Structures are given as structure tokens and as C-alpha cells.
Amino acid sequence: MTGNRTLTIIKPDAFESGKAGQILALLEQEGFRILAARVLHLSRAQAEEFYAVHRERPFYGSLVQFMTSGRCMPLVLERDAAVATLRRVIGATDPAEAAEGTVRRLHAESKERNAIHASDSDENAEREARFFFAEADIG
Ligand code: CMP
């Protein structure tokens, strides 16, 4: 992983309602290259571990339930300024506050069922990519 890579997840709300293709097209239009991709149904233990940083939040249990409610699609993406650019492209956590044309404005249902995840720092991008992918998967 370098500073030009980030980790995203198309979440179960968007993946199971058939939005993956539209979201991937938007990400590619924004200049992201897909380096690695998987489709998987997170176990409860995996979702709890991935979101462990939110363990004390009131929405943690509901978030884990949502993230295990269906398949999701983690991807490693590459472009310059990947972390900051992807966060701009996906929009605010709450789709009601997300800018026009962002993934969440277009596809999210609510603050929790918000279609997509993006790493918030280079350090977390590295950690989150390693959660889903082996070094050899990323290349
Ligand atoms: P994500 O960017 O994956 O990081 C943590 C997730 O928790 C977030 O997207 C939402 O899915 C969820 N989340 C954050 N804040 C809230 C909230 N106030 N209520 C419910 N879910 C939330």
C-alpha cells in the first residue's frame, strides 16, 4: 500500500439492491483504478472487529447487524490523493447532508445504511486493506 491507495466497501444496502455497477462506474469516472475486489458476507465477528473503533457508540450493535445483513464488496482503489478524493466523492455520512452527485447523495438510504465506506487516513487505509486482502491480492 502507498499513499495513493484506499479501501472502500460497497455496503449491503447498496450491493444487495444492485447498485454496485453504478457505484463502480462513478468511482472509475473519478479516476480510481480498481486494484483488488471481493464479494463476501461478513460474519458477526468480522463486522465487530472491523468497526471496533465504534464499540462504545450507541449505533454499534445496529451497525454490526446492518453490515452482516447481506453481501458487501470491499475494494482497494488507486489514484493520486486517494483517501481525500474518495471521501469527497462518497459525500457526508448522512445522505441528507451529502453534496449533489456524491455516492451517498445518489444511493444511500440513511446515516447508517449509507451505501459505502471509505478509509479516513492512509494509516487506516493500510489496516483496512489488510483486513480484507493479502499483499499478493493487491499487487
Ligand atoms: P462508515 O463510514 O462506514 O463508518 C462508521 C459507520 O457507522 C458509518 O459509515 C455509518 O454506516 C454508521 N454511522 C455513523 N454514524 C451513525 C449514526 N449516528 N447512526 C447510525 N449509524 C451511524
Side-chain angles (χ1 to χ4, degrees), residues 45-68:
Q46 285 175 309
E48 285 176 349
E49 186 186 343
F50 187 82
Y51 282 113
V53 65
H54 296 305
R55 200 179 304 134
E56 305 306 324
R57 304 283 193 95
F59 57 80
Y60 179 67
S62 172
L63 176 61
V64 168
Q65 195 168 9
F66 161 52
M67 289 301 293
T68 56

mmCIF file of all heavy atoms in Angstrom, residues 45-68:
data_model
loop_
_atom_site.group_PDB
_atom_site.id
_atom_site.type_symbol
_atom_site.label_atom_id
_atom_site.label_comp_id
_atom_site.label_asym_id
_atom_site.label_seq_id
_atom_site.Cartn_x
_atom_site.Cartn_y
_atom_site.Cartn_z
ATOM 1 N N ALA A 45 -18.400 -11.665 13.841
ATOM 2 C CA ALA A 45 -17.070 -11.410 14.416
ATOM 3 C C ALA A 45 -16.256 -10.481 13.516
ATOM 4 O O ALA A 45 -15.559 -9.579 14.010
ATOM 5 C CB ALA A 45 -16.332 -12.736 14.617
ATOM 6 N N GLN A 46 -16.347 -10.671 12.212
ATOM 7 C CA GLN A 46 -15.612 -9.785 11.278
ATOM 8 C C GLN A 46 -16.123 -8.348 11.357
ATOM 9 O O GLN A 46 -15.342 -7.399 11.382
ATOM 10 C CB GLN A 46 -15.753 -10.284 9.835
ATOM 11 C CG GLN A 46 -14.924 -11.501 9.497
ATOM 12 C CD GLN A 46 -15.230 -11.991 8.087
ATOM 13 O OE1 GLN A 46 -16.389 -12.195 7.720
ATOM 14 N NE2 GLN A 46 -14.197 -12.175 7.299
ATOM 15 N N ALA A 47 -17.452 -8.192 11.372
ATOM 16 C CA ALA A 47 -18.024 -6.833 11.421
ATOM 17 C C ALA A 47 -17.674 -6.158 12.742
ATOM 18 O O ALA A 47 -17.328 -4.970 12.785
ATOM 19 C CB ALA A 47 -19.533 -6.893 11.225
ATOM 20 N N GLU A 48 -17.725 -6.915 13.827
ATOM 21 C CA GLU A 48 -17.372 -6.349 15.146
ATOM 22 C C GLU A 48 -15.917 -5.896 15.160
ATOM 23 O O GLU A 48 -15.594 -4.844 15.702
ATOM 24 C CB GLU A 48 -17.623 -7.392 16.245
ATOM 25 C CG GLU A 48 -19.098 -7.562 16.557
ATOM 26 C CD GLU A 48 -19.368 -8.658 17.577
ATOM 27 O OE1 GLU A 48 -18.432 -9.431 17.904
ATOM 28 O OE2 GLU A 48 -20.505 -8.745 18.034
ATOM 29 N N GLU A 49 -15.050 -6.692 14.547
ATOM 30 C CA GLU A 49 -13.628 -6.338 14.522
ATOM 31 C C GLU A 49 -13.381 -5.124 13.630
ATOM 32 O O GLU A 49 -12.662 -4.192 13.996
ATOM 33 C CB GLU A 49 -12.796 -7.533 14.048
ATOM 34 C CG GLU A 49 -11.301 -7.269 14.132
ATOM 35 C CD GLU A 49 -10.467 -8.389 13.531
ATOM 36 O OE1 GLU A 49 -10.980 -9.512 13.338
ATOM 37 O OE2 GLU A 49 -9.283 -8.116 13.245
ATOM 38 N N PHE A 50 -14.000 -5.121 12.450
ATOM 39 C CA PHE A 50 -13.764 -4.013 11.511
ATOM 40 C C PHE A 50 -14.198 -2.683 12.122
ATOM 41 O O PHE A 50 -13.537 -1.663 11.940
ATOM 42 C CB PHE A 50 -14.515 -4.261 10.194
ATOM 43 C CG PHE A 50 -14.177 -3.250 9.139
ATOM 44 C CD1 PHE A 50 -13.032 -3.385 8.367
ATOM 45 C CD2 PHE A 50 -14.984 -2.139 8.935
ATOM 46 C CE1 PHE A 50 -12.690 -2.439 7.414
ATOM 47 C CE2 PHE A 50 -14.647 -1.182 7.983
ATOM 48 C CZ PHE A 50 -13.496 -1.335 7.222
ATOM 49 N N TYR A 51 -15.313 -2.692 12.836
ATOM 50 C CA TYR A 51 -15.857 -1.451 13.411
ATOM 51 C C TYR A 51 -15.548 -1.312 14.903
ATOM 52 O O TYR A 51 -16.235 -0.553 15.600
ATOM 53 C CB TYR A 51 -17.362 -1.369 13.155
ATOM 54 C CG TYR A 51 -17.691 -0.943 11.736
ATOM 55 C CD1 TYR A 51 -18.302 -1.813 10.844
ATOM 56 C CD2 TYR A 51 -17.383 0.341 11.286
ATOM 57 C CE1 TYR A 51 -18.591 -1.410 9.543
ATOM 58 C CE2 TYR A 51 -17.670 0.745 9.988
ATOM 59 C CZ TYR A 51 -18.266 -0.130 9.132
ATOM 60 O OH TYR A 51 -18.546 0.272 7.848
ATOM 61 N N ALA A 52 -14.511 -2.015 15.387
ATOM 62 C CA ALA A 52 -14.184 -1.997 16.814
ATOM 63 C C ALA A 52 -13.984 -0.580 17.356
ATOM 64 O O ALA A 52 -14.303 -0.300 18.517
ATOM 65 C CB ALA A 52 -12.939 -2.843 17.070
ATOM 66 N N VAL A 53 -13.500 0.315 16.510
ATOM 67 C CA VAL A 53 -13.277 1.708 16.930
ATOM 68 C C VAL A 53 -14.587 2.380 17.360
ATOM 69 O O VAL A 53 -14.580 3.330 18.134
ATOM 70 C CB VAL A 53 -12.580 2.495 15.789
ATOM 71 C CG1 VAL A 53 -13.478 2.616 14.562
ATOM 72 C CG2 VAL A 53 -12.123 3.867 16.243
ATOM 73 N N HIS A 54 -15.727 1.858 16.892
ATOM 74 C CA HIS A 54 -17.037 2.435 17.238
ATOM 75 C C HIS A 54 -17.746 1.661 18.356
ATOM 76 O O HIS A 54 -18.939 1.859 18.591
ATOM 77 C CB HIS A 54 -17.952 2.463 16.005
ATOM 78 C CG HIS A 54 -17.454 3.351 14.905
ATOM 79 N ND1 HIS A 54 -17.157 4.674 15.092
ATOM 80 C CD2 HIS A 54 -17.200 3.098 13.600
ATOM 81 C CE1 HIS A 54 -16.737 5.201 13.951
ATOM 82 N NE2 HIS A 54 -16.741 4.271 13.031
ATOM 83 N N ARG A 55 -17.004 0.769 19.047
ATOM 84 C CA ARG A 55 -17.620 -0.149 20.014
ATOM 85 C C ARG A 55 -18.460 0.548 21.073
ATOM 86 O O ARG A 55 -19.482 0.017 21.513
ATOM 87 C CB ARG A 55 -16.533 -1.006 20.674
ATOM 88 C CG ARG A 55 -17.040 -2.256 21.306
ATOM 89 C CD ARG A 55 -15.920 -3.083 21.916
ATOM 90 N NE ARG A 55 -14.881 -3.397 20.944
ATOM 91 C CZ ARG A 55 -13.570 -3.268 21.176
ATOM 92 N NH1 ARG A 55 -13.135 -2.854 22.328
ATOM 93 N NH2 ARG A 55 -12.691 -3.581 20.250
ATOM 94 N N GLU A 56 -18.025 1.733 21.493
ATOM 95 C CA GLU A 56 -18.752 2.438 22.563
ATOM 96 C C GLU A 56 -19.909 3.293 22.050
ATOM 97 O O GLU A 56 -20.640 3.884 22.840
ATOM 98 C CB GLU A 56 -17.785 3.332 23.349
ATOM 99 C CG GLU A 56 -16.564 2.614 23.918
ATOM 100 C CD GLU A 56 -16.932 1.415 24.766
ATOM 101 O OE1 GLU A 56 -17.952 1.471 25.475
ATOM 102 O OE2 GLU A 56 -16.189 0.409 24.706
ATOM 103 N N ARG A 57 -20.066 3.396 20.737
ATOM 104 C CA ARG A 57 -21.117 4.254 20.184
ATOM 105 C C ARG A 57 -22.484 3.586 20.310
ATOM 106 O O ARG A 57 -22.599 2.364 20.212
ATOM 107 C CB ARG A 57 -20.861 4.544 18.689
ATOM 108 C CG ARG A 57 -19.514 5.151 18.371
ATOM 109 C CD ARG A 57 -19.504 6.641 18.715
ATOM 110 N NE ARG A 57 -18.319 7.250 18.111
ATOM 111 C CZ ARG A 57 -18.353 7.854 16.929
ATOM 112 N NH1 ARG A 57 -19.472 7.964 16.245
ATOM 113 N NH2 ARG A 57 -17.250 8.356 16.421
ATOM 114 N N PRO A 58 -23.533 4.395 20.475
ATOM 115 C CA PRO A 58 -24.878 3.811 20.624
ATOM 116 C C PRO A 58 -25.347 3.038 19.387
ATOM 117 O O PRO A 58 -26.177 2.139 19.500
ATOM 118 C CB PRO A 58 -25.777 5.029 20.870
ATOM 119 C CG PRO A 58 -24.983 6.226 20.485
ATOM 120 C CD PRO A 58 -23.543 5.861 20.633
ATOM 121 N N PHE A 59 -24.779 3.351 18.213
ATOM 122 C CA PHE A 59 -25.235 2.691 16.982
ATOM 123 C C PHE A 59 -24.432 1.435 16.644
ATOM 124 O O PHE A 59 -24.671 0.804 15.611
ATOM 125 C CB PHE A 59 -25.208 3.675 15.804
ATOM 126 C CG PHE A 59 -23.869 4.313 15.530
ATOM 127 C CD1 PHE A 59 -22.883 3.630 14.826
ATOM 128 C CD2 PHE A 59 -23.592 5.600 15.971
ATOM 129 C CE1 PHE A 59 -21.656 4.216 14.564
ATOM 130 C CE2 PHE A 59 -22.348 6.190 15.710
ATOM 131 C CZ PHE A 59 -21.381 5.490 15.010
ATOM 132 N N TYR A 60 -23.483 1.038 17.513
ATOM 133 C CA TYR A 60 -22.574 -0.066 17.183
ATOM 134 C C TYR A 60 -23.310 -1.383 16.889
ATOM 135 O O TYR A 60 -23.071 -2.032 15.863
ATOM 136 C CB TYR A 60 -21.572 -0.253 18.322
ATOM 137 C CG TYR A 60 -20.588 -1.379 18.125
ATOM 138 C CD1 TYR A 60 -19.624 -1.323 17.131
ATOM 139 C CD2 TYR A 60 -20.616 -2.503 18.957
ATOM 140 C CE1 TYR A 60 -18.709 -2.352 16.965
ATOM 141 C CE2 TYR A 60 -19.705 -3.529 18.796
ATOM 142 C CZ TYR A 60 -18.759 -3.450 17.805
ATOM 143 O OH TYR A 60 -17.856 -4.468 17.650
ATOM 144 N N GLY A 61 -24.233 -1.769 17.772
ATOM 145 C CA GLY A 61 -24.945 -3.038 17.589
ATOM 146 C C GLY A 61 -25.739 -3.049 16.298
ATOM 147 O O GLY A 61 -25.722 -4.020 15.530
ATOM 148 N N SER A 62 -26.415 -1.949 16.032
ATOM 149 C CA SER A 62 -27.205 -1.816 14.822
ATOM 150 C C SER A 62 -26.321 -1.804 13.576
ATOM 151 O O SER A 62 -26.663 -2.408 12.545
ATOM 152 C CB SER A 62 -28.021 -0.521 14.936
ATOM 153 O OG SER A 62 -28.656 -0.226 13.746
ATOM 154 N N LEU A 63 -25.174 -1.148 13.679
ATOM 155 C CA LEU A 63 -24.223 -1.101 12.562
ATOM 156 C C LEU A 63 -23.712 -2.507 12.227
ATOM 157 O O LEU A 63 -23.662 -2.897 11.058
ATOM 158 C CB LEU A 63 -23.055 -0.171 12.925
ATOM 159 C CG LEU A 63 -21.905 -0.070 11.921
ATOM 160 C CD1 LEU A 63 -22.377 0.462 10.583
ATOM 161 C CD2 LEU A 63 -20.789 0.813 12.489
ATOM 162 N N VAL A 64 -23.373 -3.274 13.266
ATOM 163 C CA VAL A 64 -22.892 -4.640 13.045
ATOM 164 C C VAL A 64 -23.998 -5.486 12.413
ATOM 165 O O VAL A 64 -23.760 -6.255 11.466
ATOM 166 C CB VAL A 64 -22.391 -5.266 14.369
ATOM 167 C CG1 VAL A 64 -22.169 -6.766 14.227
ATOM 168 C CG2 VAL A 64 -21.105 -4.565 14.830
ATOM 169 N N GLN A 65 -25.216 -5.311 12.890
ATOM 170 C CA GLN A 65 -26.352 -6.060 12.329
ATOM 171 C C GLN A 65 -26.536 -5.715 10.848
ATOM 172 O O GLN A 65 -26.714 -6.596 10.001
ATOM 173 C CB GLN A 65 -27.609 -5.718 13.112
ATOM 174 C CG GLN A 65 -28.743 -6.685 12.871
ATOM 175 C CD GLN A 65 -29.856 -6.482 13.893
ATOM 176 O OE1 GLN A 65 -29.843 -5.523 14.667
ATOM 177 N NE2 GLN A 65 -30.816 -7.369 13.885
ATOM 178 N N PHE A 66 -26.478 -4.417 10.541
ATOM 179 C CA PHE A 66 -26.618 -3.967 9.147
ATOM 180 C C PHE A 66 -25.503 -4.535 8.270
ATOM 181 O O PHE A 66 -25.755 -5.067 7.188
ATOM 182 C CB PHE A 66 -26.625 -2.434 9.101
ATOM 183 C CG PHE A 66 -26.305 -1.847 7.760
ATOM 184 C CD1 PHE A 66 -26.995 -2.245 6.614
ATOM 185 C CD2 PHE A 66 -25.313 -0.880 7.620
ATOM 186 C CE1 PHE A 66 -26.696 -1.706 5.366
ATOM 187 C CE2 PHE A 66 -25.007 -0.343 6.380
ATOM 188 C CZ PHE A 66 -25.694 -0.767 5.253
ATOM 189 N N MET A 67 -24.264 -4.455 8.753
ATOM 190 C CA MET A 67 -23.131 -4.873 7.918
ATOM 191 C C MET A 67 -23.080 -6.389 7.717
ATOM 192 O O MET A 67 -22.373 -6.872 6.829
ATOM 193 C CB MET A 67 -21.814 -4.363 8.515
ATOM 194 C CG MET A 67 -21.621 -2.860 8.384
ATOM 195 S SD MET A 67 -21.629 -2.234 6.669
ATOM 196 C CE MET A 67 -20.116 -2.969 6.031
ATOM 197 N N THR A 68 -23.847 -7.146 8.534
ATOM 198 C CA THR A 68 -23.918 -8.598 8.359
ATOM 199 C C THR A 68 -25.247 -9.015 7.726
ATOM 200 O O THR A 68 -25.556 -10.201 7.667
ATOM 201 C CB THR A 68 -23.744 -9.328 9.710
ATOM 202 O OG1 THR A 68 -24.734 -8.855 10.632
ATOM 203 C CG2 THR A 68 -22.368 -9.072 10.303
#
